[in-house]
Amino acid sequence: MGRKLRLTKFKNLSLDDPFFDSLKEGYAEFPKWFARKAEDDLYVVDDDTELSGMIYLKMENGPVNDVAPPLPAGNWMKVGTLKIVGKGTKLGERVIKKIFDTALDKGATGIYVTVFEVHKQLIKLFKRYGFVEHGTKTTDNGVEHVLTRSLTDHDQDILARYPFMDFSGKNRWLLAVYPEYHTRLLPDSILNNEPQEIVQDVSHTNTIHKIYIGKLSLTRMKKGDAVLIYRTSDKKGPAHYRSVATSVCVVQETHSKKDFASVDDFLGYCLPHSVFDEAELRHMFATYGRLYTAKMTYNVAFNKRITRGKMIDEAGVPVQPRWDLKPLTKEAFDEIVQMGQINESIIIN
């Protein structure tokens, strides 16, 4: 088992765990604070033996006056305590994704986090996803940076705007994924009729970036385009009812085989965010004459899966051409997204 991000309570953790040593050193009041939070929920990152991360998220309504300058009135979600051991970018992505998922679920209008200067990688990670320097917070423990991210004012950059999407002037596509790969690629989008064991901790293994690899000419898709992920039939019934739209991604970039200087170049690019292991990727590179990749951000999973039948009958998606990589009209895409019952604020336009 790899490291998992899971929900628990403070009372289920031991303050004597060496993981907490640096937090006790950095914050004199940490043991008392920890004890007060006994019944509160938090996320931890661990494997079967070792704690390697914690994330405590807390809603604060109104202005935030203990930072300089104060934060204006709003529904702020504070990243109260955050520590991640190790340099895994995928783990950082999982944490960021969980922060955004929780903020949207709680109706936050903004997020803020306080970080000491020494945690440069953490600051860099937050800034990558649209957090900006706001000011400072000064306590007996020292001076921390205050980083904020608005959930109502949106950046033009795909990552700085994540998870929000703006498809004005962009194309919209349906992209097919076989069932055996779908749940590995998009754990949030597990279907109600799939056995839960396929994903040990649904959504918590998830990362923001995904790489789709195939023989389809993916370079038709351009940066910023919408991608409706379509899980093909599991053959347990007619595709009309068993094939479903599950989620929406945004294209970051596409490549063809010739863009990779070598198999090692290809491996370095694909391994961190693909469902395939090294042996599978090497086999693809050696044997596929046509080979394409699409790097995407995974922005939202549908709360209700939409069948192929509904897409044809209610959204007007034509049966032809084939449902592998298929252009969608804005009207059809919007109708499918609406049927998917996602948080309406996620798509800006």
Side-chain angles (χ1 to χ4, degrees):
M1 290 289 294
R3 291 188 291 183
K4 297 181 297 185
L5 179 62
R6 64 182 178 88
L7 193 63
T8 188
K9 290 187 181 293
F10 279 86
K11 68 181 181 183
N12 297 328
L13 304 172
S14 168
L15 193 57
D16 295 329
D17 191 306
F19 172 83
F20 295 113
D21 289 351
S22 64
L23 290 165
K24 288 186 281 192
E25 289 165 14
Y27 301 92
E29 71 282 6
F30 187 79
K32 287 183 180 177
W33 175 85
F34 191 94
R36 283 201 312 272
K37 298 293 179 187
E39 294 298 330
D40 285 13
D41 291 332
L42 80 160
Y43 286 99
V44 295
V45 179
D46 61 8
D47 54 23
D48 293 337
T49 58
E50 189 178 14
L51 190 63
S52 57
M54 70 171 282
I55 310 99
Y56 174 60
L57 304 172
K58 175 188 171 192
M59 289 300 297
E60 295 185 354
N61 298 317
V64 178
N65 293 314
D66 63 350
V67 303
L71 295 171
N75 294 327
W76 290 98
M77 191 179 81
K78 180 182 182 182
V79 182
T81 306
L82 171 63
K83 179 185 175 185
I84 308 170
V85 177
K87 296 181 178 178
T89 54
K90 287 178 74 170
L91 185 57
E93 275 182 46
R94 277 190 227 169
V95 168
I96 291 286
K97 188 173 193 313
K98 183 52 62 182
I99 289 169
F100 282 129
D101 286 350
T102 306
L104 288 173
D105 185 57
K106 301 282 189 191
T109 54
I111 306 169
Y112 82 98
V113 59
T114 61
V115 192
F116 282 116
E117 171 75 30
V118 67
H119 301 300
K120 287 185 167 49
Q121 287 301 112
L122 202 52
I123 292 171
K124 187 177 173 183
L125 178 70
F126 276 104
K127 286 184 174 180
R128 186 179 187 207
Y129 296 102
F131 282 78
V132 295
E133 296 266 3
H134 169 81
T136 57
K137 178 175 182 175
T138 305
T139 68
D140 293 343
N141 302 306
V143 179
E144 292 178 276
H145 290 257
V146 178
L147 305 176
T148 61
R149 166 68 197 272
S150 172
L151 298 178
T152 53
D153 298 327
H154 303 297
D155 201 282
Q156 293 301 304
D157 179 75
I158 290 171
L159 291 189
R161 185 170 62 217
Y162 182 88
F164 298 94
M165 302 172 276
D166 184 349
F167 298 129
S168 48
K170 302 297 182 183
N171 290 320
R172 294 155 181 82
W173 304 89
L174 176 147
L175 180 62
V177 179
Y178 291 127
E180 58 265 37
Y181 301 123
H182 180 271
T183 306
R184 288 162 66 191
L185 187 67
L186 309 165
D188 278 358
S189 299
I190 189 166
L191 308 180
N192 294 334
N193 57 0
E194 286 183 359
Q196 196 72 15
E197 308 84 70
I198 294 175
V199 183
Q200 293 294 337
D201 47 346
V202 175
S203 90
H204 307 224
T205 56
N206 233 329
T207 53
I208 291 170
H209 303 276
K210 305 290 177 182
I211 291 180
Y212 179 103
I213 304 167
K215 296 178 181 179
L216 295 167
S217 182
L218 300 172
T219 50
R220 294 160 62 196
M221 302 191 294
K222 304 301 177 191
K223 183 178 180 179
D225 282 0
V227 181
L228 183 76
I229 299 294
Y230 172 74
R231 195 212 67 169
T232 59
S233 174
D234 55 9
K235 310 294 190 215
K236 294 177 182 175
H240 199 74
Y241 306 105
R242 303 296 298 184
S243 298
V244 284
T246 67
S247 40
V248 181
C249 297
V250 181
V251 178
Q252 287 180 267
E253 60 189 29
T254 58
H255 291 292
S256 61
K257 187 175 180 178
K258 65 176 175 17
D259 295 331
F260 298 100
S262 64
V263 66
D264 289 336
D265 190 23
F266 177 68
L267 288 172
Y269 181 78
C270 295
L271 266 177
H273 295 105
S274 151
V275 300
F276 301 106
D277 62 25
E278 181 175 340
E280 290 171 313
L281 290 171
R282 284 187 181 278
H283 177 75
M284 286 177 172
F285 197 82
T287 61
Y288 287 16
R290 292 163 55 82
L291 181 64
Y292 297 91
T293 63
K295 186 177 185 181
M296 304 177 285
T297 57
Y298 177 38
N299 292 62
V300 64
F302 287 172
N303 290 311
K304 185 177 182 185
R305 318 305 175 206
I306 310 305
T307 63
R308 176 188 172 99
K310 274 185 170 289
M311 286 189 272
I312 293 168
D313 298 338
E314 297 179 32
V317 177
V319 175
Q320 297 296 336
R322 284 186 60 190
W323 293 45
D324 45 15
L325 176 61
K326 182 183 180 85
L328 295 172
T329 65
K330 180 182 187 302
E331 293 72 26
F333 176 83
D334 290 349
E335 181 65 31
I336 295 165
V337 166
Q338 191 165 13
M339 288 192 284
Q341 299 178 359
I342 64 168
N343 183 316
E344 289 180 6
S345 70
I346 287 183
I347 296 184
I348 302 161
N349 194 311

